[in-house]
Amino acid sequence: MTIRVLFMGVIAKITGQRDLLLPAEPTVTLRGVLDRLEARYGPEFSHRVFRSDTPPRPLQTHTRIFLNGNVVDESMLDQPLSSGGEPGSAEVLIYLLPAASGG
């Protein structure tokens, strides 16, 4: 499976890019993806996504995460991701959008 992550606003500035493709196992969770991104981009990224450094690490209220076009809440963090595209598509789109960047 390939996960496409789109970064917007200040998160794009932190990552230095707007688009990233990540290979992943079919059983990967959103939390697993966010953990990989945190390891890659560091604490500044982490503080934009999570409210705490200690488990259960709730999501920031000012950052919106969309998965396949649907807004994510904390209940979805540990569920395996699935492609929301056309049949046979293995791409999962995740948009990290700071609330102030909305339009």
Side-chain angles (χ1 to χ4, degrees):
M1 172 175 5
T2 300
I3 298 169
R4 182 175 181 210
V5 184
L6 299 176
F7 304 106
M8 305 289 181
V10 70
I11 294 176
K13 289 182 182 185
I14 292 168
T15 63
Q17 61 192 103
R18 291 196 173 275
D19 199 337
L20 175 68
L21 293 176
L22 292 173
E25 310 79 34
T27 57
V28 70
T29 64
L30 180 57
R31 186 180 306 277
V33 171
L34 294 174
D35 288 345
R36 284 176 63 184
L37 295 173
E38 177 184 19
R40 184 177 190 145
Y41 299 114
E44 190 174 1
F45 175 86
S46 176
H47 293 161
R48 296 291 178 165
V49 175
F50 296 109
R51 282 186 279 175
S52 170
D53 290 334
T54 57
R57 301 189 75 196
L59 294 172
Q60 281 289 4
T61 56
H62 63 269
T63 299
R64 297 290 176 259
I65 300 174
F66 293 86
L67 175 60
N68 299 323
N70 298 306
V71 70
V72 168
D73 64 29
E74 290 166 5
S75 70
M76 303 167 79
L77 285 175
D78 296 311
Q79 297 174 8
L81 299 180
S82 63
S83 69
E86 302 171 12
S89 171
E91 185 175 67
V92 175
L93 298 176
I94 301 173
Y95 300 86
L96 294 172
L97 177 72
S101 296

